[in-house]
Coordinates of all heavy atoms in Angstrom, one line a residue:
E217 N 7.7 1.4 -21.5 CA 8.7 0.8 -20.7 C 8.4 -0.5 -20.1 O 9.2 -1.5 -20.0 CB 9.1 1.8 -19.5 CG 10.2 1.3 -18.6 CD 10.4 2.3 -17.5 OE1 10.0 3.5 -17.6 OE2 11.1 2.0 -16.5
I218 N 7.1 -0.7 -19.6 CA 6.7 -2.0 -19.0 C 6.0 -2.9 -20.0 O 5.6 -4.0 -19.6 CB 5.8 -1.7 -17.8 CG1 4.5 -1.1 -18.2 CG2 6.5 -0.9 -16.7 CD1 3.5 -0.9 -17.0
G219 N 6.0 -2.5 -21.3 CA 5.5 -3.4 -22.3 C 4.0 -3.6 -22.4 O 3.6 -4.7 -22.8
V220 N 3.2 -2.6 -22.0 CA 1.8 -2.8 -22.0 C 1.1 -1.8 -23.0 O 1.7 -0.8 -23.3 CB 1.1 -2.6 -20.6 CG1 1.8 -3.5 -19.6 CG2 1.2 -1.2 -20.1
E221 N -0.1 -2.1 -23.4 CA -0.8 -1.2 -24.3 C -1.8 -0.5 -23.4 O -2.7 -1.0 -22.7 CB -1.6 -2.0 -25.3 CG -2.4 -1.2 -26.3 CD -3.2 -2.0 -27.2 OE1 -3.1 -3.3 -27.3 OE2 -4.1 -1.4 -27.9
K222 N -1.7 0.9 -23.4 CA -2.5 1.7 -22.5 C -3.9 1.9 -23.2 O -3.9 2.2 -24.4 CB -1.9 3.0 -22.3 CG -2.8 3.9 -21.4 CD -2.1 5.3 -21.1 CE -3.0 6.1 -20.2 NZ -2.4 7.4 -19.8
V223 N -5.0 1.6 -22.6 CA -6.3 1.7 -23.1 C -7.3 2.4 -22.1 O -7.0 2.5 -20.9 CB -6.9 0.3 -23.5 CG1 -6.0 -0.4 -24.6 CG2 -7.0 -0.6 -22.3
E224 N -8.4 2.8 -22.6 CA -9.5 3.3 -21.7 C -10.2 2.1 -21.1 O -10.1 0.9 -21.6 CB -10.4 4.1 -22.5 CG -9.8 5.4 -23.0 CD -9.3 6.3 -21.9 OE1 -9.9 6.4 -20.8 OE2 -8.2 6.8 -22.1
L225 N -10.9 2.3 -20.0 CA -11.5 1.2 -19.3 C -12.5 0.4 -20.1 O -12.5 -0.8 -20.0 CB -12.2 1.8 -18.0 CG -12.7 0.8 -17.0 CD1 -11.5 -0.1 -16.5 CD2 -13.3 1.5 -15.8
D226 N -13.3 1.1 -20.8 CA -14.3 0.3 -21.6 C -13.7 -0.6 -22.6 O -14.1 -1.7 -22.9 CB -15.3 1.3 -22.3 CG -16.4 1.8 -21.3 OD1 -16.4 1.4 -20.2 OD2 -17.1 2.7 -21.8
E227 N -12.6 -0.1 -23.2 CA -11.8 -1.0 -24.2 C -11.2 -2.2 -23.5 O -11.2 -3.3 -24.0 CB -10.8 -0.2 -24.9 CG -10.1 -1.0 -26.0 CD -9.0 -0.2 -26.8 OE1 -9.0 1.0 -26.6 OE2 -8.3 -0.8 -27.5
L228 N -10.7 -2.0 -22.3 CA -10.2 -3.1 -21.5 C -11.2 -4.1 -21.3 O -11.0 -5.3 -21.5 CB -9.6 -2.6 -20.2 CG -8.9 -3.6 -19.3 CD1 -7.8 -2.9 -18.5 CD2 -9.9 -4.2 -18.3
F229 N -12.4 -3.7 -20.8 CA -13.5 -4.6 -20.6 C -13.9 -5.4 -21.8 O -14.1 -6.6 -21.8 CB -14.8 -3.8 -20.1 CG -14.6 -3.3 -18.7 CD1 -15.3 -2.1 -18.4 CD2 -13.9 -3.9 -17.7 CE1 -15.2 -1.5 -17.1 CE2 -13.8 -3.4 -16.5 CZ -14.5 -2.2 -16.1
A230 N -13.8 -4.8 -23.0 CA -14.3 -5.4 -24.2 C -13.2 -6.4 -24.7 O -13.6 -7.4 -25.4 CB -14.5 -4.3 -25.3
R231 N -12.0 -6.2 -24.4 CA -10.9 -7.0 -25.0 C -10.3 -8.1 -24.1 O -9.8 -9.1 -24.6 CB -9.8 -6.1 -25.5 CG -10.2 -5.2 -26.6 CD -9.0 -4.3 -27.0 NE -7.8 -4.9 -27.3 CZ -6.6 -4.3 -27.5 NH1 -6.6 -3.0 -27.4 NH2 -5.5 -5.0 -27.7
A232 N -10.4 -8.0 -22.8 CA -9.7 -8.8 -21.9 C -10.3 -10.2 -21.7 O -11.5 -10.3 -21.5 CB -9.5 -8.1 -20.5
D233 N -9.5 -11.2 -21.7 CA -9.9 -12.6 -21.4 C -9.8 -12.8 -19.9 O -10.5 -13.5 -19.3 CB -9.0 -13.6 -22.1 CG -9.1 -13.5 -23.6 OD1 -10.1 -13.8 -24.2 OD2 -8.0 -13.1 -24.2
F234 N -8.8 -12.1 -19.3 CA -8.6 -12.1 -17.8 C -8.5 -10.6 -17.4 O -7.8 -9.8 -18.1 CB -7.3 -12.8 -17.4 CG -7.4 -14.3 -17.7 CD1 -7.1 -14.8 -18.9 CD2 -7.6 -15.2 -16.6 CE1 -7.2 -16.2 -19.2 CE2 -7.7 -16.6 -16.9 CZ -7.4 -17.1 -18.1
I235 N -9.1 -10.3 -16.3 CA -9.0 -9.0 -15.7 C -8.4 -9.1 -14.3 O -9.0 -9.8 -13.5 CB -10.3 -8.2 -15.7 CG1 -10.8 -8.0 -17.2 CG2 -10.2 -6.9 -15.0 CD1 -12.2 -7.4 -17.2

Side-chain angles (χ1 to χ4, degrees):
E217 180 183 343
I218 64 176
V220 305
E221 180 185 354
K222 182 178 180 179
V223 298
E224 294 301 318
L225 189 57
D226 282 354
E227 183 177 351
L228 183 149
F229 290 148
R231 292 175 56 186
D233 301 293
F234 293 81
I235 294 174

